[in-house]
Amino acid sequence: MSVAVVTDSTAYLPPDVVARYGIEVVPCYVVLAGRSGREGEEITPEDVARALGTRGQRVSTSRPTPGDFVAAYRRRLAEGADRVVSVHLSADLSGTWDAARLAAGQVGEHVVTVVDTRSTAMGTGFAVLAAARAAAEGATAQEVAAVANGTAARTRTLFVVDTLEHLRRGGRIGPAASLLGTALSIKPLLHVVDGTVVPLERVRTTGRAMTRLVQRAVEAAGGAGASVAVHHLAAADRAEKLAAQLREALPGIREMHVSELGAVIGAHVGPGAVGVVVAPAEVAPEEPEHTPEGTAEDPGEG
């Protein structure tokens, strides 16, 4: 059975990885002053950073349409796939998962499996990548979906923003809204929990926030073999410095990706945002201990 993996543009996978595994990426839409377009194709992170830095300009985003997904699914099936696993950002952050689900109903839910990663950016991307690797090794659609779900469940997404205002405007702030009253005097360290942006810590300076990002990432990695991504919007120097600190603090990293956030997520976190996504290595279940007959724990009969 051949399984095709589809995702949306907010996974922010490196282009070479997308090409290598044949992942289908369906773009979300971004609306700037006077124009709209597909994320990554017609609207760039630079466009969004420039707009957000201009007084009075607003940036809004919208999901792909169900028709966009139907076209993607049918294209992959026509190319020879028997099944499709479609892996997307949290349904609590976007209507993208719902659009994919509606499209799956049109194409056939026995053919298309839709996964909600309850995350975003490379929190979704690592799940997509794990799914694509499993598909390349010949896994079934059920197995591919399970790999995506398992990877997403283990992955931690941590980030720092210069201001919570962009999250507030976009309605993505969730319980982190409680921080708004002190937003001017703190640098909030946030994370994504079960698909929602939640406050993790309050720190007073950007330097302290970066230090805590590294420390939290090390805790999340739990040892060697983790995959790590560093994201930013209009903060390349800060991101590269953070990546260097993580490489030093996390020997044995399986892979690291450093990339600028695309327009959709960038519009909600704003310029200056920096984030870390950690996907710990999967730990194989331990073998149950076997106690031979006749030992002190199991003395047996006479």
Side-chain angles (χ1 to χ4, degrees):
M1 175 182 290
S2 173
V3 180
V5 176
V6 175
T7 189
D8 58 82
S9 55
T10 68
Y12 303 133
L13 287 161
D16 63 312
V17 171
V18 170
R20 184 185 317 146
Y21 291 101
I23 300 167
E24 179 92 13
V25 179
V26 179
C28 296
Y29 294 92
V30 183
V31 181
L32 303 177
R35 68 188 179 109
S36 64
R38 293 178 176 85
E39 177 178 37
E41 297 178 5
E42 298 158 322
I43 304 292
T44 67
E46 291 77 16
D47 292 331
V48 170
R50 190 180 309 113
L52 292 174
T54 303
R55 181 181 295 275
Q57 284 203 22
R58 298 291 298 273
V59 178
S60 60
T61 63
S62 61
R63 69 183 191 179
T65 67
D68 291 336
F69 283 115
V70 168
Y73 299 157
R74 288 180 174 164
R75 180 165 52 250
R76 298 314 299 268
L77 293 169
E79 291 172 353
D82 300 302
R83 293 285 302 272
V84 174
V85 175
S86 200
V87 184
H88 301 289
L89 82 160
S90 171
D92 286 346
L93 296 174
S94 168
T96 299
W97 175 87
D98 193 52
R101 183 185 57 81
L102 292 171
Q106 295 181 44
V107 174
E109 292 184 350
H110 63 291
V111 177
V112 181
T113 302
V114 183
V115 174
D116 178 357
T117 64
R118 311 299 294 160
S119 191
T120 188
M122 279 297 289
T124 297
F126 282 130
V128 175
L129 183 52
R133 286 170 171 157
E137 293 171 358
T140 66
Q142 183 178 10
E143 291 167 341
V144 169
V147 166
N149 276 312
T151 301
R154 294 194 308 274
T155 300
R156 292 288 308 279
T157 300
L158 312 152
F159 63 104
V160 174
V161 294
D162 275 350
T163 172
L164 291 165
E165 183 62 21
H166 303 295
L167 283 166
R168 184 194 66 79
R169 288 179 181 176
R172 267 71 174 184
I173 199 168
S178 62
L179 297 176
L180 280 171
T182 54
L184 293 178
S185 61
I186 64 168
K187 290 293 180 186
L189 182 59
L190 308 168
H191 62 157
V192 179
V193 176
D194 196 25
T196 304
V197 177
V198 177
L200 182 60
E201 290 184 24
R202 306 180 185 205
V203 294
R204 293 291 179 182
T205 66
T206 298
R208 178 61 178 163
M210 295 300 104
T211 297
R212 291 301 291 150
L213 267 182
V214 172
Q215 292 169 344
R216 288 285 190 170
V218 170
E219 293 170 5
S227 297
V228 180
V230 175
H231 290 305
H232 73 95
L233 181 63
D237 290 346
R238 190 182 297 172
E240 288 295 345
K241 182 178 179 181
L242 179 59
Q245 292 173 327
L246 287 167
R247 289 189 184 98
E248 182 176 349
L250 286 170
I253 289 177
R254 177 183 182 183
E255 59 189 319
M256 176 177 281
H257 306 285
V258 181
S259 64
E260 188 156 28
L261 285 167
V264 170
I265 301 302
H268 296 295
V269 297
V274 178
V276 179
V277 181
V278 180
E282 184 175 7
V283 178
E286 293 184 3
E287 292 288 335
E289 291 187 6
H290 174 66
T291 304
E293 291 184 4
T295 63
E297 290 79 8
D298 183 13
E301 295 182 4

